[in-house]
Amino acid sequence: MSAHCQLTGAKPGFGNTISHSHRRTSRRFDPNTQRRRYWLPSEGRHIRLTLSTKAIKTVDAIGIEAAVARIRARGGKA
């Protein structure tokens, strides 16, 4: 499973780990993604979404129906 948020589109960032001797090695900064299950009343079923923690707060604020509409508008599957 990739570290990718379905609502915000957050993806891993890339950078370097710098050691004490200043050697640089590649690393990934993954977003904090969680698998959450929501009840979708309009379709009468549960849906499972991979969301960043920021997106979970967004769903709490705008509601699951509006969040699913945004995901589908971006061309995502929900």
Side-chain angles (χ1 to χ4, degrees):
M1 183 175 85
S2 65
H4 178 264
C5 177
Q6 290 179 285
L7 181 60
T8 63
K11 294 179 182 176
F14 295 89
N16 291 309
T17 299
I18 303 178
S19 70
H20 181 70
S21 65
H22 237 33
R23 286 205 159 182
R24 289 171 165 87
T25 52
S26 268
R27 63 157 293 178
R28 271 169 66 125
F29 294 92
D30 285 330
N32 185 5
T33 56
Q34 311 289 324
R35 298 270 290 164
R36 292 293 297 266
R37 195 179 121 181
Y38 291 99
W39 173 251
L40 198 57
S42 64
E43 296 182 16
R45 67 184 182 103
H46 285 96
I47 58 168
R48 194 175 298 274
L49 300 173
T50 303
L51 301 172
S52 64
T53 50
K54 179 183 175 184
I56 291 170
K57 293 174 191 173
T58 302
V59 170
D60 291 343
I62 68 172
I64 187 62
E65 296 288 346
V68 168
R70 282 189 192 180
I71 291 169
R72 289 180 177 158
R74 292 179 74 235
K77 184 180 174 221

